[in-house]
């Protein structure tokens, strides 16, 4: 009887810590740490099945230039637009739409007359078109 008690004691000494660690780990992953309605484990499992959306280069460029227009000036954004189109000719077909978006944003930030003063022949007259569209 003494040997079987030792054997049970050794087994419990080895198995019990493993069971406690695993149950604690599972409990921590089930706790809603984010404050939302789903657990973190469930949310991450759902996100894993959805492929990440990649953004088109012209969308990335437009967003970057719009931020640049706000932080610096429309002139800087237009210069960088022209440089990007020169470096990557595949963006040329999107140049006019990006320049129009910059023109509209310039009107919102600087007003129509000041925005028009930044007009240049980048992508023909698309920037000026964007300014005119925003003011009408």
């Amino acid at each position: 009887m003494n040997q079987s008690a030792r054997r049970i004691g050794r087994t419990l000494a080895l198995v019990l810590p493993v069971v406690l660690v695993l149950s604690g780990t599972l409990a921590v992953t089930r706790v809603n740490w984010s404050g939302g309605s789903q657990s973190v484990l469930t949310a991450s499992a759902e996100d894993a099945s959805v492929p990440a959306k990649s953004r088109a280069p012209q969308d990335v460029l437009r967003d970057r230039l719009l931020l640049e227009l706000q932080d610096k000036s429309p002139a800087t954004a237009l210069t960088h637009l022209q440089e990007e189109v020169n470096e990557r000719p595949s963006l040329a077909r999107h140049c006019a739409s990006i320049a129009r978006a910059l023109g509209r944003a310039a009107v919102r930030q600087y007003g129509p007359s000041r925005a028009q003063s930044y007009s240049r022949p980048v992508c023909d007259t698309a920037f000026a078109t964007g300014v005119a569209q925003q003011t009408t």
Side-chain angles (χ1 to χ4, degrees), residues 55-112:
R55 297 183 62 211
Q58 67 270 12
D59 296 336
V60 173
L61 175 63
R62 183 193 61 237
D63 292 348
R64 183 172 53 98
L65 292 174
L66 286 170
L67 287 174
E68 196 169 81
L69 182 139
Q70 291 176 354
D71 293 342
K72 296 179 183 173
S73 73
T76 304
L78 287 170
T79 298
H80 289 150
L81 173 60
Q82 188 65 56
E83 290 171 353
E84 288 287 333
V85 169
N86 291 343
E87 289 175 17
R88 296 170 48 193
S90 62
L91 291 172
R93 64 185 172 146
H94 304 287
C95 186
S97 66
I98 294 171
R100 278 193 299 275
L102 291 172
R104 290 189 295 269
V107 170
R108 285 191 297 273
Q109 184 159 349
Y110 298 102

Side-chain angles (χ1 to χ4, degrees), residues 18-73:
V18 172
V19 170
L20 290 174
V21 167
L22 288 176
S23 64
T25 303
L26 292 174
V28 168
T29 59
R30 294 283 182 196
V31 171
N32 184 2
W33 297 104
S34 66
S37 62
Q38 294 182 337
S39 72
V40 175
L41 183 64
T42 304
S44 63
E46 288 173 2
D47 294 342
S49 64
V50 177
K53 293 180 183 178
S54 61
R55 297 183 62 211
Q58 67 270 12
D59 296 336
V60 173
L61 175 63
R62 183 193 61 237
D63 292 348
R64 183 172 53 98
L65 292 174
L66 286 170
L67 287 174
E68 196 169 81
L69 182 139
Q70 291 176 354
D71 293 342
K72 296 179 183 173
S73 73

Side-chain angles (χ1 to χ4, degrees), residues 6-25:
R6 281 190 193 150
R7 200 173 301 149
I8 291 172
R10 281 189 220 147
T11 304
L12 283 175
L14 291 173
V15 173
L16 191 57
V18 172
V19 170
L20 290 174
V21 167
L22 288 176
S23 64
T25 303

